[in-house]
Amino acid sequence: MHSCCARKIILWSLCLIFSLSYSMLVCASTPPKHLCRQDQRDALWEFKSEFHLRNMAANEKTQTWKNNSDCCSWDGITCDPKTGKVVELNLWSGSLNGPLRSSSGLFKLQYLQSLNLNSNNLAGTLPDSIGDLKYLKELSLSGCNLFGNLPSSLGNLSHLTLLDLDGNGFTGELPDSLGNLKQLTKLLLPSSKLSGKFPQVLLNLTELTAINLVSNQLEGTLPSNMSSLSKLEYFDVGSNSFSGFVPSSLITIPSLVHLSLERNHFNRLLEIGNISSPSKLKTLSLGGNRLSGPIPGFISKLVELSSLDLSFWDTLRGTVDFSVFLHLKSLMVLDISTLNTRSIVDMSLFSRFESLSLLSLSRNTVKFSSTLRIASPIGSLALASCNISEFPKFLQTQTSLVSLDISQNQIKGRVPAWLWRLPGLTYVDFYRNSFTGFDGPPDVLRRNEIEMLDISSNAFHGPFPLLPKSTTFLAASDNQFSGQIPTTICEMVSLEALVLSNNNFTGSIPRCFKNLNTKLSLLHLRNNSLSGNFPEESVSVGLVSLDVGRNKLSGELPKSLMNCARLEFLNVEGNMFNGTFPYWLRSLPDLQVLVLRSNKFHGPLLYSPPPRGSLISFPKLRIFDISRNILSGVLPVDYFSGWSTMSSGVYTPDNKQNRFIGITFNYRKAVVLATKGTEREFLGTSFSIYKIIDLSGNRFQGDIPKSISLLKELIVLNMSNNAFTGTIPPFLSNLTNLQSLDLSKNRLSSKIPPELGKLTFLAWMNFSYNKLEGPIPQGTQIQSQDSSSFLQNPGLCGPPLQKTCSGGGEEEDTRKQDHQEDEENDQVLSWIAAAIGFVPGVLCGLAIGHVLISYRQDWFKRIFQLT
Ligand SMILES: *[C@@H]1O[C@H](CO)[C@@H](O)[C@H](O)[C@H]1NC(C)=O
Ligand SMILES: *[C@@H]1O[C@H](CO)[C@@H](O)[C@H](O)[C@H]1NC(C)=O
Ligand SMILES: *[C@@H]1O[C@H](CO)[C@@H](O)[C@H](O)[C@H]1NC(C)=O
Ligand SMILES: *[C@@H]1O[C@H](CO)[C@@H](O)[C@H](O)[C@H]1NC(C)=O
Ligand SMILES: *[C@@H]1O[C@H](CO)[C@@H](O)[C@H](O)[C@H]1NC(C)=O
Ligand SMILES: *[C@@H]1O[C@H](CO)[C@@H](O)[C@H](O)[C@H]1NC(C)=O
Ligand SMILES: *[C@@H]1O[C@H](CO)[C@@H](O)[C@H](O)[C@H]1NC(C)=O
Ligand SMILES: *[C@@H]1O[C@H](CO)[C@@H](O)[C@H](O)[C@H]1NC(C)=O
Ligand SMILES: *[C@@H]1O[C@H](CO)[C@@H](O)[C@H](O)[C@H]1NC(C)=O
Ligand SMILES: *[C@@H]1O[C@H](CO)[C@@H](O)[C@H](O)[C@H]1NC(C)=O
Ligand SMILES: *[C@@H]1O[C@H](CO)[C@@H](O)[C@H](O)[C@H]1NC(C)=O
């Protein structure tokens, strides 16, 4: 369509080159015309009848299967031309839906030599009966949603050459019976949940050319002598938990082309003496392990290498002779980021390469001269955290550049205009430098089709630049941009994430996001000086995360937020919103964090009568902070009923990742909340462990509602600074996970229930400034509190207070408390009197920050791992 597609194609083809996949291309031959055998047809028919086929999907291959026609002519069937036996069944992506039963008709197809059910939903286990298909040579069940253990009967398939079970959910160990598959050439079991050790028996499978166990949970060491696998070309056990030595005998297998051990815990790699026969190795990925010491010299002998990843090799501040890489003339991919070396990488080294396409030197010290020229057409360059203080001018001739990461350096001044003339530039990361502006005309950035631009944490100031309309992801937080957020932002029709927090933007929120698109899922405008209302037109229905905290916005929250069915995070803290409580948010199915703190929301939490369907209420909410508003009224007894996440403790993992241009980026949220009397920062992506309710600093009255005892997962409860009356209910002791309880500054009376002493995690509590009386209970947790937690209650006595319960020495205390009580009553009265109109000064503390980071680590590598 346009040049950006061309770029994607380039990326794709690079990706294909580097991940030399061994998945099989099954070339189906035309089925010969021959009447099939009755038993075979019955078996096929039976097999078909086992699935819930809707005969609708275009790809239902079994649709063409008709009783009373030659089964050898059916789609996906190949018969032996002489005998009419079905020898091949290929229902790849055939819309099969349902588990394979051990009595399935499939296992009656005794003569099958090739079975391919890839990409069907066989949600279930792989039955033992698979071992009955004893003539199978090729078995492909990738992406079938299979789970459970691998049946040991697989070992009965003694003719098997291909076993492809890629992308299922198998658990348990690899069965030792696999050692019987003497003919096996390809063992493909990546992306499951297999555990245990690397099976020694595989060493007996001397025909193996490919072993792929990527992304499992395997551990232990690899066998020390792997030389029996003398035909091995492809070995990939990346993203497991293997440790110990990298066996030299593996690296020296002469036929080996692709070797990946990345993202494990390997910690030793021995220097290999002279490599006897010339190595065929094209890919060597050792990155992300715990390897340390000098980089072994034999690497310079691997002259066929096109891809080398040594990232996170810890040289222990040693020196590295980077010229060893000069021997590797065919290198296309070189990742030597994070070597912990005191050597400086001189970029001129790379002027000698001709085909480098991906180069990552991040987190090493890098130098280059202003006259440097690099001949290789680099597509992706990562120079993050390289102590660079000058813009790399050599990029001027890098017309193939797609992706540039120069984040976390010390580059000052203006971004040169020529950068935006590089035709393919798509991903640009300037995070954490000292850039002040953009050279060139105001529309300089529009000369390109940037999809991802991160200029956050720099010193950009003045009005916001005109951005390319193609931008999908834009982070410009932590700068000093001022003026209005330009309405040109409304022309960016691809926008999915916009982060402009911590600037000095004024004016109102642009009124266009509603119409812009439905993809905008992240909108963070926190800590600016935006004012006026939050208009309905500014709400994109696709929002997942919205943070407009710490601005000067007023009025009501836009009701259209109710339509944002994917909303998980909503923070409007520290504004002047003066509407009523947005009770209508309670039906949002995914809302996890709701922070209205420090505004002027007023009125009761719930209107009576309660809306219909009130049984479902904030089903996923974990953090509910409505503190420091003017909310009032009595909380209905069942107010907290239906808050299922806080009551059930069933953790529903957050598997919806935000995907931006095919790149998964995670943003971490930093939440600062008052807990245990101090403000503390919470970091995370989902806050699954934090269950917090903060109602403090409002004007709530009446009893503490009974339904709060349902929230068994609650960790922090703050109800202080309200006008709650009645007793402290003993059922609070049902909140067994509670760590912090603040009931101070209310009008609670009677005794502290001794049951609270049972709450073993309750480390912090505050009952001060109430009307409590009687002895303080004896529980260890209660007794370990400071006496200040009990102050200013007229009749409370016993340790840790000085006042003893038998009387005496209490006169002074009582006088002081009476005085305090009057003051408190005044305060409560003034709230009631001032129903509308009077607003106490908003003391806004730092509440919630919502910070975008961390997607950038290994950003560039991910681009090349899109599959
Ligand atoms: C298929 O046809 C055979 C006769 O040709 C019949 O006996 C059998 O019941 C049929 N099966 C189904 C499922 O219709
Ligand atoms: C098939 O495998 C199972 C389990 O490993 C075994 O008990 C059985 O004897 C095998 N059958 C044949 C025919 O090898
Ligand atoms: C390899 O096979 C031989 C005989 O076929 C057997 O004795 C040996 O135990 C097997 N080795 C492993 C590790 O399974
Ligand atoms: C490794 O195993 C092979 C046979 O598989 C054997 O010939 C060789 O001697 C062994 N090497 C070592 C060092 O044990
Ligand atoms: C490797 O070979 C060179 C000569 O080609 C020789 O000088 C050196 O000693 C050998 N090293 C080892 C460890 O065998
Ligand atoms: C980083 O660069 C500055 C000058 O740009 C230099 O003074 C400093 O020594 C460098 N730091 C390291 C660790 O190389
Ligand atoms: C708010 O933004 C300003 C820049 O406009 C920054 O200096 C300040 O640190 C930010 N405050 C917080 C709490 O992030
Ligand atoms: C923000 O802008 C206002 C005027 O637009 C100015 O008075 C104020 O000093 C600016 N604040 C910062 C931190 O730059
Ligand atoms: C909210 O504030 C706006 C602007 O300050 C004001 O016009 C409006 O009357 C207020 N609404 C309420 C309900 O207090
Ligand atoms: C409860 O909230 C009040 C006011 O919002 C705050 O001062 C106090 O520190 C909080 N209590 C705890 C235990 O964090
Ligand atoms: C508190 O828990 C106890 C026992 O687990 C139960 O009997 C009681 O009904 C609960 N109380 C409330 C108010 O949920």
Side-chain angles (χ1 to χ4, degrees):
M1 202 163 61
H2 44 62
S3 63
C4 108
C5 294
R7 252 178 273 130
K8 276 180 185 151
I9 289 164
I10 296 169
L11 281 174
W12 266 98
S13 40
L14 282 172
C15 155
L16 286 176
I17 294 168
F18 302 132
S19 63
L20 291 171
S21 160
Y22 270 69
S23 50
M24 296 292 295
L25 255 178
V26 182
C27 308
S29 48
T30 345
K33 297 274 175 231
H34 192 285
L35 199 67
C36 84
R37 289 168 35 149
Q38 176 77 39
D39 64 316
Q40 301 283 286
R41 187 182 56 199
D42 290 349
L44 285 166
W45 199 255
E46 189 182 335
F47 176 59
K48 170 179 167 149
S49 71
E50 289 158 22
F51 297 97
H52 319 285
L53 295 160
R54 279 154 296 158
N55 281 318
M56 302 274 284
N59 54 351
E60 265 177 31
K61 298 200 173 143
T62 52
Q63 238 184 94
T64 63
W65 296 13
K66 298 268 156 43
N67 203 358
N68 300 327
S69 70
D70 181 4
C71 73
C72 294
S73 68
W74 293 352
D75 246 15
I77 310 293
T78 308
C79 294
D80 181 309
K82 297 202 183 79
T83 62
K85 296 167 179 168
V86 175
V87 292
E88 186 178 328
L89 178 60
N90 182 353
L91 296 179
W92 176 81
S93 198
S95 298
L96 300 179
N97 219 332
L100 274 182
R101 296 178 214 142
S102 55
S103 60
S104 167
L106 177 67
F107 305 119
K108 295 178 183 158
L109 296 166
Q110 292 284 331
Y111 310 103
L112 273 184
Q113 294 173 22
S114 171
L115 173 63
N116 181 341
L117 301 179
N118 290 349
S119 306
N120 283 291
N121 181 26
L122 304 180
T125 57
L126 181 58
D128 272 335
S129 330
I130 193 73
D132 299 349
L133 302 176
K134 53 180 182 291
Y135 298 113
L136 269 188
K137 290 180 181 160
E138 297 184 346
L139 174 60
S140 300
L141 300 172
S142 70
C144 283
N145 285 327
L146 293 165
F147 50 78
N149 288 344
L150 289 169
S152 62
S153 62
L154 281 172
N156 292 1
L157 305 174
S158 56
H159 299 288
L160 211 58
T161 60
L162 167 70
L163 179 60
D164 179 2
L165 304 176
D166 187 351
N168 283 290
F170 290 115
T171 48
E173 302 189 3
L174 286 154
D176 274 348
S177 63
L178 292 181
N180 301 332
L181 306 178
K182 294 284 190 313
Q183 314 286 319
L184 198 64
T185 60
K186 296 185 173 74
L187 174 64
L188 311 178
L189 261 164
S191 307
S192 266
K193 295 168 185 164
L194 295 167
S195 54
K197 304 209 153 127
F198 185 89
Q200 289 278 339
V201 294
L202 294 185
L203 299 181
N204 264 0
L205 307 184
T206 53
E207 296 299 315
L208 276 173
T209 61
I211 296 179
N212 185 347
L213 297 170
V214 173
S215 293
N216 277 288
Q217 293 154 18
L218 298 165
E219 58 186 8
T221 56
L222 290 180
S224 60
N225 185 357
M226 299 182 74
S227 57
S228 59
L229 300 173
S230 60
K231 295 184 179 168
L232 204 60
E233 294 169 16
Y234 184 102
F235 186 82
D236 195 338
V237 296
S239 298
N240 278 286
S241 300
F242 287 115
S243 54
F245 277 94
V246 174
S248 311
S249 58
L250 173 63
I251 300 177
T252 53
I253 292 174
S255 50
L256 204 61
V257 175
H258 176 110
L259 174 59
S260 171
L261 308 176
E262 64 178 18
R263 293 168 208 248
N264 278 285
H265 312 312
F266 289 109
N267 55 28
R268 291 295 299 280
L269 172 60
L270 290 189
E271 182 62 85
I272 299 167
N274 288 339
I275 295 174
S276 48
S277 53
S279 169
K280 292 187 178 147
L281 215 51
K282 282 191 181 302
T283 308
L284 179 61
S285 298
L286 299 172
N289 277 290
R290 296 173 184 171
L291 297 162
S292 59
I295 290 181
F298 75 84
I299 284 174
S300 68
K301 307 263 174 59
L302 308 174
V303 293
E304 295 293 316
L305 276 184
S306 72
S307 173
L308 175 62
D309 177 359
L310 298 176
S311 58
F312 293 95
W313 188 297
D314 185 355
T315 65
L316 309 167
R317 299 297 302 159
T319 55
V320 174
D321 176 9
F322 291 101
S323 67
V324 296
F325 302 114
L326 281 180
H327 300 274
L328 313 177
K329 295 200 164 48
S330 314
L331 272 187
M332 297 174 77
V333 173
L334 179 62
D335 186 346
I336 47 173
S337 57
T338 323
L339 294 183
N340 190 23
T341 168
R342 56 194 151 91
S343 301
I344 293 177
V345 188
D346 186 343
M347 286 290 293
S348 65
L349 187 73
F350 303 101
S351 61
R352 319 232 192 123
F353 290 91
E354 281 171 4
S355 43
L356 265 184
S357 171
L358 183 150
L359 178 61
S360 177
L361 305 173
S362 293
R363 292 167 295 276
N364 296 307
T365 304
V366 166
K367 69 169 189 192
F368 46 83
S369 77
S370 55
T371 56
L372 175 69
R373 285 280 176 278
I374 288 184
S376 294
I378 296 182
S380 172
L381 179 65
L383 296 170
S385 229
C386 289
N387 197 32
I388 297 172
S389 51
E390 244 181 90
F391 201 89
K393 291 204 179 57
F394 65 87
L395 293 177
Q396 235 174 123
T397 54
Q398 286 296 322
T399 50
S400 302
L401 200 66
V402 172
S403 172
L404 174 64
D405 180 0
I406 49 171
S407 61
Q408 308 197 60
N409 284 292
Q410 292 90 50
I411 310 177
K412 295 188 193 65
R414 299 169 75 81
V415 181
W418 54 256
L419 182 71
W420 313 108
R421 282 184 223 121
L422 298 177
L425 198 63
T426 308
Y427 310 102
V428 177
D429 194 347
F430 289 165
Y431 167 71
R432 262 210 211 169
N433 277 283
S434 304
F435 287 112
T436 52
F438 296 96
D439 263 347
D443 64 345
V444 65
L445 284 139
R446 289 220 156 173
R447 299 194 188 159
N448 214 303
E449 296 199 35
I450 304 290
E451 288 178 20
M452 189 160 183
L453 179 64
D454 189 342
I455 57 172
S456 51
S457 298
N458 275 281
F460 288 102
H461 51 78
F464 202 63
L466 277 173
L467 290 162
K469 293 177 187 169
S470 54
T471 309
T472 305
F473 171 78
L474 173 65
S477 60
D478 298 276
N479 282 289
Q480 290 125 44
F481 286 116
S482 54
Q484 305 230 348
I485 297 175
T487 51
T488 51
I489 234 154
C490 301
E491 296 165 17
M492 297 163 64
V493 291
S494 307
L495 206 58
E496 290 183 27
L498 178 64
V499 185
L500 301 177
S501 301
N502 302 334
N503 280 288
N504 197 11
F505 286 111
T506 50
S508 52
I509 301 180
R511 286 177 168 266
C512 56
F513 298 127
K514 180 181 179 186
N515 304 326
L516 190 54
N517 66 36
T518 55
K519 283 189 280 179
L520 184 68
S521 59
L522 188 80
L523 179 62
H524 289 192
L525 306 175
R526 177 182 180 74
N527 185 26
N528 281 286
S529 301
L530 299 170
S531 55
N533 286 352
F534 191 151
E536 301 279 346
E537 294 88 339
S538 301
V539 176
S540 153
V541 72
L543 281 174
V544 173
S545 186
L546 173 65
D547 188 347
V548 294
R550 310 202 88 201
N551 279 288
K552 296 171 182 157
L553 300 167
S554 56
E556 300 260 359
L557 284 184
K559 265 241 167 89
S560 43
L561 284 172
M562 202 169 20
N563 304 325
C564 301
R566 301 199 299 147
L567 196 64
E568 293 174 6
F569 186 98
L570 175 60
N571 184 359
V572 304
E573 164 267 314
N575 279 287
M576 297 182 296
F577 285 110
N578 59 354
T580 51
F581 177 73
Y583 66 95
W584 31 268
L585 288 172
R586 62 197 224 145
S587 57
L588 287 179
D590 286 333
L591 193 64
Q592 295 171 20
V593 177
L594 175 60
V595 182
L596 307 182
R597 184 179 168 107
S598 297
N599 276 288
K600 298 171 185 173
F601 287 102
H602 65 271
L605 282 191
L606 192 71
Y607 291 90
S608 54
R612 271 186 296 156
S614 63
L615 276 180
I616 293 173
S617 194
F618 296 119
K620 290 264 176 72
L621 206 63
R622 308 177 203 282
I623 295 180
F624 182 64
D625 183 351
I626 57 170
S627 62
R628 304 182 196 220
N629 278 287
I630 327 165
L631 296 162
S632 57
V634 174
L635 295 183
V637 159
D638 60 354
Y639 188 71
F640 297 102
S641 306
W643 292 35
S644 33
T645 293
M646 289 227 225
S647 53
S648 71
V650 174
Y651 171 55
T652 41
D654 207 0
N655 45 22
K656 270 182 287 157
Q657 285 168 313
N658 288 311
R659 292 191 66 85
F660 293 91
I661 27 178
I663 297 170
T664 305
F665 86 82
N666 303 303
Y667 51 93
R668 284 210 296 169
K669 296 161 192 157
V671 182
V672 182
L673 289 166
T675 66
K676 305 187 185 183
T678 51
E679 287 183 338
R680 204 183 122 201
E681 191 173 57
F682 294 79
L683 282 174
T685 50
S686 65
F687 302 107
S688 55
I689 62 167
Y690 303 116
K691 312 279 162 59
I692 295 173
I693 289 182
D694 192 342
L695 309 176
S696 66
N698 279 291
R699 298 173 181 186
F700 293 118
Q701 309 167 5
D703 286 343
I704 295 176
K706 191 164 184 187
S707 56
I708 208 160
S709 67
L710 297 170
L711 309 183
K712 297 209 168 16
E713 299 297 310
L714 205 57
I715 288 176
V716 175
L717 176 61
N718 192 345
M719 306 183 86
S720 79
N721 274 290
N722 278 292
F724 285 109
T725 49
T727 58
I728 297 178
F731 57 69
L732 281 184
S733 66
N734 281 20
L735 302 178
T736 48
N737 288 305
L738 210 57
Q739 295 178 20
S740 169
L741 172 66
D742 194 343
L743 299 176
S744 63
K745 300 189 178 154
N746 279 292
R747 311 172 76 191
L748 298 164
S749 54
S750 191
K751 293 181 176 169
I752 297 177
E755 288 89 339
L756 292 187
K758 291 190 299 197
L759 295 176
T760 46
F761 298 124
L762 189 56
W764 204 99
M765 51 195 110
N766 194 345
F767 302 102
S768 60
Y769 298 95
N770 274 293
K771 297 169 157 184
L772 298 166
E773 55 195 31
I776 294 169
Q778 290 307 304
T780 337
Q781 297 290 11
I782 297 186
Q783 285 299 319
S784 65
Q785 300 298 311
D786 191 82
S787 61
S788 61
S789 295
F790 304 95
L791 283 181
Q792 305 297 342
N793 280 287
L796 221 47
C797 59
L801 287 179
Q802 301 275 300
K803 191 169 86 172
T804 57
C805 291
S806 50
E810 64 190 82
E811 262 178 36
E812 208 178 315
D813 268 7
T814 314
R815 266 206 313 275
K816 214 160 86 193
Q817 279 155 5
D818 284 350
H819 175 66
Q820 180 58 40
E821 200 188 334
D822 289 347
E823 234 175 46
E824 196 193 345
N825 282 341
D826 287 351
Q827 221 177 350
V828 173
L829 282 172
S830 70
W831 292 356
I832 296 163
I836 300 175
F838 168 74
V839 174
V842 179
L843 304 162
C844 50
L846 182 68
I848 286 204
H850 191 184
V851 176
L852 198 111
I853 25 173
S854 90
Y855 75 91
R856 52 179 66 79
Q857 9 141 337
D858 287 343
W859 191 42
F860 293 83
K861 284 183 69 184
R862 275 207 296 277
I863 295 169
F864 287 84
Q865 284 168 1
L866 300 178
T867 43

